Amino acid sequence: MTSPGTDPRLRSALRRLDLRVVHRLEGLLHGEHLGLRLGPGSEAAEARLYQPGEDDVRHMDWAVTARTDTPHVRDVVADRELESWTLLDLSASMDFGTDRHVKRDVAVGAMVAVTLLTQRVADRFGAHFLHRGVIRRWPARSGNEALLSLLATVAAAPTGDDPRGGGGAGLGEALEDLGRTRRRRGLRVVVSDFLDTPAFGGEVPWERSMSRIASRHQVLVVEVIDPRELDLPEIGDVTLRDPVSGRVRDVRLTRGVRERYRDAARAQREQVRLALRRSGVQHLVLRTDRDWVLDIARFVIHQRRTAHRLSRHTPGVPR
């Protein structure tokens, strides 16, 4: 039997995906690069005392200097030492889609796009997968062949309901595993639908883990949603199935039910937004009923312009 990584048909399809994403992004960005780094060829490391005549004043850490009344600089880590890691949520809820795309396809596409756009500043990229309550790890590698192998691994993961009824690890545990096992500084990308977030109050189960990762790394969170998760159509009696637990329930979609569902969905999305804001991460929302490549390009352009404005007004940042 041919393995997913060596199947020529699969590799051909993955190459087409690679080229399609690259060509569209290059056309939309016109040479723009993803603004996820503090500066060309460097990543912030630990603050230390300034050494006159030895350290570059452009690396001065003004916040630490003001707090301690002693000049401090931040070391930088060379590009060759940087790693990019993606946590890809492949839970059963990601196999849902009612419009142009399935959430899993958008999530995988986002992983490809970010990996391709950051390869110039991160030699190696790896991934953790949350699939059916199990955390799986894919080692950090570099190059297009490694990306194709990564995509083949994702393609080989079974879809559909969790046969164990939703047991095992959740997003919080997957984030804890990522933070504990990947200590080297770099970019962290988290792609999920965040459907385990409570709608009305309560502790967000993954927020603390997300905040810990963001305190050490640069983090981009890609939230993937489907329009039917935000609102329900007027179609009368329906049978709803929880893809994680497998539970089934018959529901009559009256106006009152639809309004309560809409309010709960809106509250849940707001909980996600606020938790990510408190964590200090960059937040990109992609929808299955939109052109996700175009939305990524717009996000990239916005990030780059924001970074450029900050560098013009921040003392000690190279222009």
Side-chain angles (χ1 to χ4, degrees):
M1 179 180 295
T2 305
S3 68
T6 58
D7 187 334
R9 292 174 298 179
L10 177 57
R11 294 180 69 82
S12 177
L14 295 177
R15 287 187 185 278
R16 287 197 298 272
L17 171 63
D18 186 331
L19 292 173
R20 185 167 68 249
V21 172
V22 170
H23 291 166
R24 283 210 63 205
L25 283 173
E26 286 182 345
L28 291 166
L29 297 177
H30 299 291
E32 296 274 359
H33 296 167
L34 188 58
L36 296 175
R37 298 296 183 199
L38 299 180
S42 65
E43 173 70 12
E46 303 294 339
R48 60 173 176 78
L49 289 174
Y50 170 72
Q51 301 295 324
E54 298 181 10
D55 291 325
D56 191 333
V57 295
R58 293 179 299 176
H59 297 156
M60 191 74 70
D61 189 321
W62 297 106
V64 177
T65 298
R67 187 169 65 248
T68 62
D69 291 327
T70 306
H72 279 72
V73 294
R74 280 199 176 271
D75 284 326
V76 294
V77 181
D79 283 349
R80 63 181 178 274
E81 298 173 340
L82 296 179
E83 289 182 346
S84 173
W85 285 91
T86 298
L87 172 57
L88 182 62
D89 187 352
L90 296 177
S91 302
S93 62
M94 296 293 287
D95 297 327
F96 180 72
T98 61
D99 207 279
R100 301 169 62 178
H101 311 284
V102 174
K103 286 193 293 182
R104 178 190 279 223
D105 295 340
V106 175
V108 174
M111 180 184 69
V112 172
V114 174
T115 300
L116 291 170
L117 287 167
T118 56
Q119 277 193 78
R120 298 179 183 180
V121 290
D123 288 343
R124 303 201 307 162
F125 53 89
H128 285 209
F129 309 114
L130 177 60
H131 182 251
R132 293 183 171 178
V134 177
I135 302 167
R136 307 182 187 278
R137 303 166 183 166
W138 192 88
R141 301 173 184 171
S142 60
N144 289 334
E145 289 300 315
L147 179 57
L148 290 172
S149 178
L150 172 59
L151 291 173
T153 300
V154 175
T159 60
D161 296 351
D162 185 346
R164 292 165 301 183
L171 183 61
E173 290 83 358
L175 286 167
E176 282 289 336
D177 181 71
L178 179 66
R180 183 179 63 255
T181 60
R182 311 303 174 187
R183 305 289 295 174
R184 179 175 293 179
R185 291 180 181 273
L187 175 66
R188 301 294 179 264
V189 182
V190 181
V191 188
S192 177
D193 55 12
F194 297 94
L195 285 187
D196 59 350
T197 304
F200 299 107
E203 183 180 358
V204 178
W206 45 263
E207 181 178 354
R208 188 173 301 177
S209 303
M210 184 77 76
S211 297
R212 278 197 287 264
I213 292 178
S215 68
R216 182 174 178 83
H217 308 282
Q218 187 128 19
V219 180
L220 169 62
V221 170
V222 181
E223 178 187 2
V224 184
I225 59 178
D226 184 89
R228 285 293 172 260
E229 294 169 340
L230 305 177
D231 196 6
L232 294 174
E234 298 182 56
I235 55 177
D237 296 335
V238 297
T239 299
L240 301 179
R241 181 181 181 87
D242 186 331
V244 177
S245 66
R247 290 179 296 180
V248 177
R249 183 173 181 179
D250 295 326
V251 179
R252 173 165 293 181
L253 297 182
T254 64
R255 176 179 296 180
V257 170
R258 293 180 63 231
E259 288 178 352
R260 290 196 297 273
Y261 180 93
R262 190 184 306 119
D263 291 343
R266 186 182 300 115
Q268 183 185 53
R269 293 301 104 187
E270 181 66 8
Q271 280 276 78
V272 172
R273 187 188 68 82
L274 292 176
L276 293 177
R277 182 176 181 180
R278 290 191 295 266
S279 298
V281 303
Q282 295 170 325
H283 183 197
L284 168 62
V285 178
L286 300 180
R287 293 173 54 117
T288 61
D289 59 344
R290 290 179 54 88
D291 184 341
W292 60 267
V293 177
L294 179 60
D295 287 339
I296 289 177
R298 288 171 173 164
F299 177 81
V300 169
I301 293 172
H302 174 74
Q303 290 297 115
R304 185 168 177 81
R305 290 174 178 172
T306 300
H308 180 66
R309 287 197 300 269
L310 289 175
S311 68
R312 289 170 55 191
H313 296 92
T314 303
V317 175
R319 291 167 173 76

